[in-house]
Amino acid sequence: MRSPRRCSRNGCPRQAVATLTYVYNESTAVVGPLAAFAEPHTYDLCEPHARSLTAPRGWDVVRHEGEFEPPPPTTDDLVALAEAVREAARPAPRPPEDDREQRAHSTGRRGHLRVIPPNL
Ligand SMILES: [Zn+2]
């Protein structure tokens, strides 16, 4: 099971801290602490998505009311963390607008030199 658990919502990069389980025969969506194993009809959710989940029409939501504890970091998470730290330590790339302005400026200077007639 030691792969990083991410929220299953489309485009959500957050870490999963809760598991949503659909209990079809009781029309109940159960939002509980992160399950140790992924099972059919279960979806991992980050905390904001776990808190904001609303049930489909006609369904009940049973929500775990305590704190959602993030799972202990896995080796993969630690590697990702180390990479994030290294990333953050790198000098920030120059913002594109800055770059464009600088280029325009030096091009302008070169252009100015070029427009001087050679016979003056
Ligand atoms: Zn999410």
Side-chain angles (χ1 to χ4, degrees):
M1 87 172 224
R2 300 270 71 168
S3 63
R5 304 277 288 267
R6 297 277 169 233
C7 180
S8 61
R9 292 292 155 119
N10 273 345
C12 182
R14 281 182 289 259
Q15 184 181 37
V17 297
T19 296
L20 165 66
T21 306
Y22 286 115
V23 185
Y24 284 94
N25 55 5
E26 294 175 36
S27 295
T28 302
V30 179
V31 180
L34 192 67
F37 297 95
E39 288 170 44
H41 312 306
T42 67
Y43 302 88
D44 292 340
L45 294 176
C46 64
E47 177 148 11
H49 276 132
R51 298 259 178 232
S52 65
L53 177 95
T54 52
R57 185 188 294 272
W59 282 58
D60 292 325
V61 177
V62 176
R63 203 188 310 266
H64 169 69
E65 289 300 339
E67 289 297 304
F68 288 110
E69 296 288 339
T74 64
T75 309
D76 282 352
D77 285 341
L78 290 176
V79 169
L81 182 66
E83 274 167 11
V85 168
R86 276 199 298 276
E87 191 81 32
R90 267 180 225 141
R94 187 194 295 277
E97 296 93 296
D98 238 39
D99 226 31
R100 217 170 21 243
E101 200 180 321
Q102 279 229 324
R103 245 198 320 274
H105 204 82
S106 53
T107 303
R109 268 205 299 272
R110 277 200 300 275
H112 176 69
L113 288 175
R114 247 185 269 122
V115 295
I116 295 171
N119 58 348
L120 277 189

